[in-house]
Amino acid sequence: MRLNSAFAAIAIALGGSAAILGGASLAQAVPAAAMQLELWPTAKSPASLSDAATETRIDALIAGMTLEQKVGQIIQADIGSITPADLATYPLGSILAGGNSGPYGDERADAAKWARLVGEFRAASQNHGAGIPILFGIDAVHGHNNLPGATLFPHNVGLGAAHDPELVQRIGAVTAAEIAGSGIEWTFAPTLAVPQDLRWGRAYEGYSSDPALVASYGRAMTLGLQGELVSGKPLPANRVAATAKHFLADGGTVEGRDQGDARLSEQDLVRIHAAGYPAAIDAGALTVMASFSSWNGVKHHGSHYLLTDVLKGRMGFAGLVVGDWNGHGQVPGCTATDCPAAINAGLDLYMAPDSWKGLYASTLRAARDGRIPLARLNDAVRRILRVKFKLGLMGEQTVARGNPALVGAPDHLAVAREAVAKSLVLLKNEGGLLPVKPGSKVLVAGPGADDMAMQAGGWTITWQGTDTKAADYPRGNTIGKAIVSAVGAAGGQAAISADGSFSAKPDVAIVVMGETPYAEFQGDIPHLAFAEQHGEGALVARLKAQGIPVVVVFLSGRPLFTGSLINRADAFVAAWLPGSQGEGVADVLVARADGQPLRGFTGRLSFPWPADARSPIAQPLFPLGYGLRYGDASGPGRVNEDPRIDLSAYNTATSFFVRGKALAPWHLSNDGSIAVRAVDLSAQEDARQFTWSGRGALSLEGNPVDLSARAQQGETLLLDWRIDRLGRSPVHLTLGGAKLDLTPMLRRSKPGTVLQTRIPLRCFAQAGAKLASVGQPLRIEAAMGFGMTIRTARIDHAGPAIPCPRKAG
């Protein structure tokens, strides 16, 4: 391509047309009656995203690449399923580390180990084929959250409450520096969802239900992560590529169902859910991630209208569009290992964590036989190479990343502490109880008092964040320990007691409680009522009965119906998921020796707070923008305690285990002889694998439920599971105290095959079960050598006549 034609290509590529000269496809026609492209906001990737010289080099590279090399560029694999040596045979263009993937199998690897792994993949990619380096991505969504010792920020729900785009831009810059410090150049952030139904388990990844706030933060975080794009120059060594995600309306699905369907008009799709993307594109976002979800039944990974006509055309996006975790496999007619439709719709880079090998083979066949047009393939490769050049992975000005000293730097931690303080929202402060006065005796109680996992939430070290420890963040502090330190510094005394016990009566109790960690799938809930798991309400009531004023510090990924707790507490603080710097909470709640706290309350709700358990929220208790300051009136007075729905109708008491998670009120009990880990059966971490290292039992336990009527109706216990290893010892299943021997049944099955096993409840009744009061609906006893994976365990409809397993001796 001559220089003048290169300039023409850039002008078209960056100017909003779906047609890109130099090897790209034209947008397919869309029925005018069905779609209204003119409704969508216009945007434009900055001209500085690329330049004529870079486009000329890309032309030359594409012209010299084999079809195998081009197909490789559009596929991304996870480090858990590929090695650098594989790149000699499969010239993939990108590698990611998913939420549970660590270097060399180490989920708690340090920055140097991460940098070494990235370097090995990079070197391997450059030593083979076209010599194009891989692009390495990671989910750094509230700081570099996969890395112990990194600076951990509040989740986005908390940052939204700060209403501070300048702070968010600084957070982006800190996060970028620490990601780059571990040798990585791409993060899958920011999330630009506008959650409308808080039952969605990813609501905390959204900044707000207000599109305008999301738009302002989308620009700020993009600029923080990448900096201003400069024409002809790559991003500097302390900056990384941003990803505007998940395109589109992931926060607008029916009933807040993860990966669900947004059923709404195009006008509402644009008005509510599109706001963040033009802002991020105009700021120079290098990548956009397609959503798992769908719009009116059409999966986004297969939507040519949204990915090509809207995003690349109307919004002028010139970077690359990446898929989500095997999301292409959900497109009708596709599987995780075969999906030309996604690329033809406008996806540029498949995220194929464990399906990459089969996908490479099928995509190569589709490219050879023309099902993927060469123009579309070349356009996808062009966009990927454009991003690699801008990151300094290619070209004359290559950029070296990998300075571990940037991780957890003191000035970074100070920004996180500031963010925590600014995210706190004061909902009630009866009698001016807060700030805690100098010299006070303070009890810090509740399940979250000294629990780093609860305050950090999901996407922390691991995907679901359930095993995060304080030791993972040695330069951080739990909320309880930070409060103890601050009270002591002001001349008082404080102690942590999770159960609320004490030897000397305190002047005030700060009870830290809320949701336990979760991420996508696991976090979806049926209603907005806070589900107590540790008798939190009774704890508050007991302290109040002893004449002790109570402050509730509520940890959650979303506003929840907490009417009775608000009424019982003297002060109530929405603390969200603040991350590792518990000092930020103490800075606001505890006065120093001079009687003033280091910071006051400045946070305001970025979502409405529900007045009852219904969702979506019709009439909020506290509207978006609500938040008390010190000196304001004490708060709302007495609030509604009626959920206004029949919670029993949503009772999960007969759904014990769903998508790999024990549902409240049930919890797993393990005697220690059983190893547990999250695995994929049909979706990311939708099951739990249990491996016996000795004789032991795995139990689901909770408040007793009456299953006698279900038994009379012929219903069954359904196990959606896989036997991984049977071993030599018997396998016994107990429900309601009646034990059945599953060994003969399991020996007839093939290990490694997913089974749906139904056992009629009458079988347990005949074996002596007390079905009127079942507190242990599932108990599996086995010995060393047995291994199983469970996705679902629940009471299900009546089936055909099913024989009963024999009663265990």
Side-chain angles (χ1 to χ4, degrees):
M1 180 183 287
R2 296 189 304 273
L3 190 60
N4 59 345
S5 62
F7 275 119
I10 298 169
I12 295 173
L14 303 185
S17 173
I20 301 181
L21 298 179
S25 60
L26 295 173
Q28 297 176 353
V30 177
M35 307 298 180
Q36 303 175 66
L37 197 59
E38 71 278 3
L39 293 175
W40 293 83
T42 58
K44 185 178 181 181
S45 289
S48 50
L49 192 152
S50 190
D51 59 85
T54 298
E55 295 297 314
T56 299
R57 296 191 66 173
I58 292 173
D59 288 337
L61 282 167
I62 291 175
M65 292 172 70
T66 66
L67 200 60
E68 291 81 0
Q69 291 163 353
K70 292 177 181 178
V71 168
Q73 282 298 303
I74 67 172
I75 294 175
Q76 180 186 66
D78 182 82
I79 61 172
S81 66
I82 192 171
T83 66
D86 288 324
L87 297 180
T89 304
Y90 302 93
L92 303 193
S94 183
I95 304 294
L96 85 149
N100 282 339
S101 297
Y104 318 106
D106 181 4
E107 290 182 342
R108 286 175 164 77
D110 61 15
K113 189 176 283 189
W114 277 100
R116 177 158 60 92
L117 179 76
V118 174
E120 289 170 357
F121 274 109
R122 191 102 65 213
S125 63
Q126 292 176 287
N127 289 337
H128 303 290
I132 297 172
I134 55 97
L135 180 62
F136 197 103
I138 197 165
D139 285 285
V141 297
H142 64 131
H144 195 1
N145 45 261
N146 290 271
L147 186 63
T151 303
L152 199 64
F153 291 97
H155 270 293
N156 289 350
V157 64
L159 298 184
H163 291 267
D164 191 340
E166 186 275 335
L167 171 64
V168 167
Q169 185 165 338
R170 285 190 284 129
I171 288 171
V174 168
T175 301
E178 299 201 5
I179 296 168
S182 60
I184 299 170
E185 68 277 350
W186 182 18
T187 177
F188 305 134
T191 295
L192 301 180
V194 188
Q196 299 298 293
D197 192 321
L198 294 172
R199 290 175 291 185
W200 186 36
R202 304 189 74 167
Y204 67 83
E205 295 185 50
Y207 295 115
S208 178
S209 58
D210 176 12
L213 182 59
V214 173
S216 68
Y217 274 25
R219 173 178 173 79
M221 184 57 80
T222 299
L223 290 173
L225 290 167
Q226 297 185 173
E228 294 273 2
L229 301 187
V230 178
S231 184
K233 293 185 178 181
L235 269 62
N238 63 341
R239 302 287 186 171
V240 300
T243 305
K245 71 176 190 183
H246 306 85
F247 192 80
L248 186 64
D250 48 339
T253 62
V254 174
E255 297 180 350
R257 293 174 186 164
D258 192 54
Q259 304 186 19
D261 189 25
R263 300 174 196 163
L264 67 170
S265 68
E266 190 164 2
Q267 289 88 342
D268 285 344
L269 181 68
V270 173
R271 179 180 60 85
I272 300 171
H273 298 286
Y277 292 91
I281 290 168
D282 286 342
L286 294 178
T287 77
V288 170
M289 182 180 289
S291 176
F292 277 120
S293 59
S294 56
W295 173 41
N296 292 335
V298 178
K299 282 289 182 181
H300 295 317
H301 278 69
S303 175
H304 187 278
Y305 178 66
L306 289 179
L307 296 184
T308 298
D309 298 344
V310 171
L311 180 59
K312 294 179 177 180
R314 181 76 170 178
M315 292 188 183
F317 177 61
L320 73 87
V321 179
V322 62
D324 208 338
W325 192 277
N326 280 331
H328 56 276
Q330 298 184 14
V331 175
C334 290
T335 67
T337 56
D338 189 0
C339 192
I343 291 296
N344 289 338
L347 197 74
D348 300 310
L349 181 61
Y350 293 104
M351 185 182 288
D354 54 357
S355 59
W356 59 270
K357 190 175 290 186
L359 184 63
Y360 175 81
S362 68
T363 305
L364 185 56
R365 288 193 299 270
R368 283 172 174 161
D369 65 23
R371 283 177 292 148
I372 297 177
L374 181 61
R376 172 75 272 266
L377 178 61
N378 284 347
D379 175 44
V381 174
R382 173 178 297 276
R383 289 168 177 273
I384 292 166
L385 295 180
R386 187 179 286 149
V387 170
K388 290 182 177 182
F389 271 101
K390 198 62 186 176
L391 285 168
L393 303 178
M394 304 175 67
E396 297 174 358
Q397 303 178 60
T398 56
V399 175
R401 295 175 176 87
N403 179 7
L406 295 172
V407 175
D411 57 328
H412 295 177
L413 298 174
V415 176
R417 183 170 176 170
E418 174 189 351
V420 173
K422 289 183 173 180
S423 72
L424 303 178
V425 179
L426 181 62
L427 301 182
K428 178 181 181 180
N429 192 21
E430 197 74 41
L433 180 59
L434 290 174
V436 174
K437 297 174 177 56
S440 295
K441 291 183 291 187
V442 179
L443 173 69
V444 188
D450 195 28
D451 192 316
M452 185 62 76
M454 278 189 67
Q455 68 187 58
W459 290 109
T460 307
I461 304 298
T462 59
W463 180 37
Q464 296 293 324
T466 54
D467 65 345
T468 306
K469 304 290 190 293
D472 292 322
Y473 295 95
R475 286 166 284 195
N477 229 335
T478 62
I479 293 170
K481 287 179 179 173
I483 290 173
V484 168
S485 177
V487 169
Q493 299 176 7
I496 298 173
S497 173
D499 64 4
S501 59
F502 54 83
S503 55
K505 184 178 178 180
D507 299 317
V508 61
I510 299 176
V511 182
V512 188
M513 65 173 74
E515 294 187 291
T516 53
Y518 56 82
E520 57 199 281
F521 286 133
Q522 317 290 4
D524 288 3
I525 54 177
H527 53 72
L528 296 184
F530 170 53
E532 295 186 14
Q533 298 186 40
H534 304 281
E536 292 90 340
L539 171 59
V540 173
R542 188 174 76 245
L543 292 167
K544 289 286 291 181
Q546 296 174 83
I548 302 169
V550 173
V551 177
V552 168
V553 174
F554 194 69
L555 303 174
S556 68
R558 51 198 152 200
L560 291 171
F561 171 54
T562 51
S564 62
L565 285 171
I566 292 174
N567 284 335
R568 289 173 180 169
D570 298 278
F572 194 99
V573 178
W576 316 112
L577 302 170
S580 61
Q581 302 310 112
E583 289 87 352
V585 176
D587 288 344
V588 179
L589 267 61
V590 180
R592 297 171 294 178
D594 63 2
Q596 298 298 315
L598 184 64
R599 295 180 181 273
F601 280 99
T602 58
R604 294 177 288 119
L605 294 177
S606 60
F607 292 88
W609 195 279
D612 53 47
R614 296 175 295 180
S615 186
I617 298 169
Q619 292 294 325
L621 175 62
F622 303 113
L624 188 148
Y626 177 89
L628 299 175
R629 305 291 187 269
Y630 283 137
D632 286 348
S634 61
R638 189 164 185 82
V639 304
N640 170 59
E641 296 187 7
D642 182 357
R644 295 179 177 141
I645 57 173
D646 180 6
L647 295 182
S648 66
Y650 299 87
N651 193 349
T652 58
T654 55
S655 291
F656 313 127
F657 203 78
V658 176
R659 292 189 298 199
K661 178 186 177 184
L663 297 185
W666 306 106
H667 62 273
L668 276 174
S669 175
N670 179 352
D671 63 8
S673 63
I674 305 166
V676 185
R677 72 183 185 100
V679 295
D680 302 352
L681 277 187
S682 60
Q684 187 177 8
E685 290 198 8
D686 64 340
R688 289 292 182 274
Q689 186 176 68
F690 303 93
T691 304
W692 271 250
S693 59
R695 183 167 297 281
L698 177 76
S699 302
L700 275 168
E701 300 173 354
N703 297 326
V705 293
D706 185 354
L707 298 180
S708 54
R710 300 294 189 100
Q712 293 170 6
Q713 294 167 9
E715 297 193 10
T716 63
L717 171 66
L718 170 66
L719 296 177
D720 180 16
W721 62 340
R722 182 184 69 199
I723 304 303
D724 301 312
R725 293 179 60 197
L726 187 54
R728 298 180 179 179
S729 299
V731 179
H732 294 161
L733 171 65
T734 300
L735 181 150
K739 185 185 299 184
L740 303 180
D741 186 356
L742 300 189
T743 312
M745 175 195 304
L746 298 182
R747 291 201 187 283
R748 292 193 296 269
S749 66
K750 182 180 179 181
T753 302
V754 176
L755 307 171
Q756 287 208 332
T757 301
R758 293 179 185 274
I759 303 173
L761 292 178
R762 61 174 168 79
C763 299
F764 296 101
Q766 291 168 5
K770 298 178 180 179
L771 295 183
S773 182
V774 177
Q776 192 180 71
L778 187 69
R779 177 180 171 88
I780 297 175
E781 299 173 65
M784 185 172 63
F786 181 66
M788 66 176 186
T789 298
I790 299 182
R791 177 165 45 197
T792 301
R794 68 172 187 266
I795 303 302
D796 203 43
H797 58 76
I802 301 171
C804 291
R806 68 191 181 197
K807 183 177 179 180

